[in-house]
Amino acid sequence: NPTALWAPPAPATATHSLTMQPFADRTFPGPVRPRTTRGPIDASQGPEVGGPDWSIRAQTAPSQHQGPSLKSLGIFLAPLTAVLAALLRYRPKRTNGHDAWALMGVSAMPTVVKEGKVAVLGGGCFGTAFAQLMARNGYQVTMWVRNEKTRDEINTQHTNSIYLPDIVLHDNICAVSSFADAVDGAKLVAIAIPTPYLRQTFVKHRDVLPVQVPLVLLSKGIENDTLLTPLEILREELPGKYSRFVCAVSGPSFAKEIAKGLPTNVTCASEDRNVAVTVQQMLSDRMFRVYTTPDTIGVEFGGAIKNVIAIAAGVSDGLGMGNNGRAAIITRGLAEISKLAEAKGGNPMTMLSLAGVGDLMLTCTAQMSRNYTVGYRLGKGETLQQIQESMNEVAEGVKTAYSVHFLAKELGISVPICNQVYEVLYNDRSLEDALSNLLDREAGDEMTEIHAICSLPVGPLGGPNFSTRSGWESTG
């Protein structure tokens, strides 16, 4: 009997340690309210900042019950500890393609058998790395590669020396020049085509796409003419039968590290939960973890605009502005991304995820980042033309800066860092003038801005109700 473990009542004595008693006998001392209470916090409950007064946890408890002895508490917890240890040691096994949790009576999402064909559109750095991932997961991967020399190298030498030197590609990877041959019979189509060329590619080839298979966007950016994201472009150009199967994958993920099998975490965004979970299961292995979200807007904006902020971070380092300066750009840049995403209907909390701050931190601090490298070399005195001519890969932030500048104008959002990057890249503004414009701006109240970004209805626990933004419909 668990109640027998508690010591008999004893006179209350003043103590400054936590007392332990059955919950039913506990009372809430002072002005503290039960946790289910909603509404604004009374300033009298805490210090002058209006927060809850946690100091009551060290006050004398009014209950007449004295806590259990260490010995009796150990007797009570020992069985629970043993069960927890057994669960931690347990590793579910798969039997005939089904999760062993289901055999225990635990409901589980349907599992995906990792076999069959996957198509990867694009033979660049990220397309090749993604093909390596899927081949490692057991799929037969067909890459659509327009460059004949690269195609032949992949098929004969199992390398792609232009984009991923020193990486030996999996035997399950082959490359073709025909779009139709690449996607024929595929159970997933991964799209690693630069955003400026995305629309024209799918206008030309949309009639041969397989139906009812996930279309996974790896492309990042915002189209210059329309100010649309890759997912919005596909929804505009593809027939309706494809729209629910389009999703976006983004997060802190350098292609070379994916190809090497180093630990990587990303986010898959889809408005259809089943599509998101299917992609999650098809992509995931022990070293490549995929999380899911319904917020396609937040994920795409995080993946696109962080490249613009990375250019600014590179410029800061190139000019020798120090670690403090880079940290300020990253933090204020995150606020700019959040404001733009929120204005478009995204969830600002997505900016705290892998696709938000995770991707931003990686891109703004690593020399492997193409966009950071562009900024750094600008800070060292090179011209944009010199930098671009020397690079094999596309730095998406250059074109995205143009789109963000005009999108922010259209939405009426202040994005000073992105605007200065645009002025440097497209209007030949000097780095010194751009820096001066940022440093001379009046500083506002940070909390006011954060609350403005998160101006949402009150949720069930008294906080912001983010379920009103880009959420999955309840399935019961």
Side-chain angles (χ1 to χ4, degrees):
N1 183 5
T3 58
L5 298 175
W6 300 96
T13 56
T15 174
H16 292 285
S17 61
L18 285 176
T19 60
M20 300 181 64
Q21 64 272 355
F23 185 80
D25 294 334
R26 297 186 191 183
T27 59
F28 294 92
V32 178
R33 300 166 296 159
R35 300 181 73 173
T36 55
T37 305
R38 302 179 186 177
I41 296 176
D42 187 349
S44 65
Q45 293 181 211
E48 64 277 2
V49 295
D53 188 357
W54 302 113
S55 63
I56 58 95
R57 297 206 174 193
Q59 296 175 355
T60 302
S63 172
Q64 296 299 313
H65 286 286
Q66 184 176 349
S69 66
L70 291 177
K71 181 178 179 180
S72 62
L73 186 61
I75 295 173
F76 179 66
L77 292 179
L80 297 179
T81 304
V83 172
L84 179 60
L87 287 174
L88 291 175
R89 289 194 301 268
Y90 180 75
R91 292 293 183 270
K93 300 179 181 179
R94 301 194 182 279
T95 305
N96 296 327
H98 299 286
D99 199 322
W101 287 113
L103 302 179
M104 299 169 58
V106 180
S107 61
M109 295 297 294
T111 57
V112 172
V113 179
K114 295 190 175 182
E115 61 184 20
K117 177 181 176 179
V118 166
V120 177
L121 307 180
C125 192
F126 209 91
T128 306
F130 190 85
Q132 182 84 333
L133 167 69
M134 299 307 285
R136 193 167 62 228
N137 278 352
Y139 297 99
Q140 297 294 323
V141 181
T142 302
M143 299 176 62
W144 179 57
V145 180
R146 295 191 302 170
N147 186 294
E148 293 184 2
K149 183 179 178 181
T150 300
R151 178 202 64 193
D152 293 341
E153 181 185 346
I154 292 173
N155 290 333
T156 59
Q157 302 178 39
H158 294 289
T159 58
N160 187 345
S161 57
I162 296 177
Y163 295 106
L164 284 179
D166 305 324
I167 298 293
V168 178
L169 301 181
H170 199 284
D171 291 341
N172 286 0
I173 299 173
C174 70
V176 297
S177 298
S178 168
F179 189 102
D181 290 344
V183 301
D184 182 42
K187 61 192 300 184
L188 178 145
V189 178
I191 303 159
I193 300 169
T195 301
Y197 309 106
L198 190 61
R199 184 185 297 272
Q200 65 190 52
T201 300
F202 278 87
V203 167
K204 182 178 180 181
H205 300 289
R206 58 190 167 196
D207 294 334
V208 299
L209 286 171
V211 181
Q212 294 187 336
V213 303
L215 304 177
V216 182
L217 275 163
L218 308 176
S219 311
K220 298 178 180 179
I222 301 174
E223 194 174 42
N224 286 163
D225 295 337
T226 64
L227 305 182
L228 297 179
T229 64
L231 196 145
E232 292 172 321
I233 293 171
L234 290 196
R235 284 180 180 160
E236 194 172 87
E237 294 297 343
L238 294 180
K241 61 185 177 181
Y242 295 107
S243 60
R244 66 170 284 230
F245 296 98
V246 179
C247 62
V249 168
S250 186
S253 49
F254 283 146
K256 190 171 184 178
E257 295 189 2
I258 295 175
K260 286 183 174 181
L262 297 178
T264 303
N265 285 207
V266 297
T267 299
C268 175
S270 173
E271 293 181 358
D272 188 303
R273 181 190 289 271
N274 291 331
V275 172
V277 173
T278 297
V279 172
Q280 178 187 48
Q281 293 182 351
M282 291 185 70
L283 271 58
S284 294
D285 64 14
R286 186 167 181 268
M287 305 301 283
F288 191 89
R289 295 173 60 86
V290 181
Y291 293 81
T292 61
T293 177
D295 185 17
T296 57
I297 296 171
V299 167
E300 286 208 295
F301 269 62
I305 305 173
K306 55 95 180 179
N307 290 324
V308 183
I309 305 302
I311 293 176
V315 169
S316 175
D317 284 356
L319 292 174
M321 293 294 102
N323 297 319
N324 294 351
R326 188 197 320 117
I329 288 173
I330 293 172
T331 309
R332 298 305 305 164
L334 183 64
E336 294 186 14
I337 301 172
S338 300
K339 289 189 290 184
L340 286 168
E342 195 271 345
K344 286 282 287 185
N347 185 340
M349 290 298 287
T350 298
M351 296 307 111
L352 302 180
S353 72
L354 290 165
V357 67
D359 208 359
L360 180 67
M361 287 292 295
L362 180 71
T363 312
C364 289
T365 58
Q367 295 182 357
M368 199 183 300
S369 164
R370 300 186 299 271
N371 295 283
Y372 172 88
T373 299
V374 168
Y376 185 84
R377 292 173 64 178
L378 285 171
K380 290 298 184 182
E382 294 185 62
T383 66
L384 180 61
Q385 182 178 353
Q386 291 173 331
I387 297 169
Q388 289 182 315
E389 288 176 350
S390 66
M391 297 179 70
N392 290 327
E393 305 165 69
V394 175
E396 301 97 330
V398 175
K399 288 188 177 294
T400 304
Y402 181 95
S403 299
V404 171
H405 174 77
F406 289 101
L407 180 63
K409 273 190 173 183
E410 184 179 286
L411 297 173
I413 302 296
S414 173
V415 287
I417 297 174
C418 290
N419 283 341
Q420 292 307 314
V421 173
Y422 164 81
E423 293 293 340
V424 168
L425 297 178
Y426 291 95
N427 290 334
D428 295 325
R429 175 169 291 175
S430 69
L431 298 180
E432 291 74 16
D433 286 346
L435 180 62
S436 179
N437 286 336
L438 290 175
L439 294 176
D440 291 341
R441 295 182 71 254
E442 182 178 354
D445 182 78
E446 193 170 36
M447 288 297 104
T448 300
E449 184 176 36
I450 291 174
H451 284 300
I453 294 173
C454 298
S455 56
L456 296 168
V458 176
L461 298 180
N465 183 10
F466 291 113
S467 65
T468 62
R469 299 289 176 85
S470 305
W472 282 313
E473 293 294 330
S474 174
T475 58

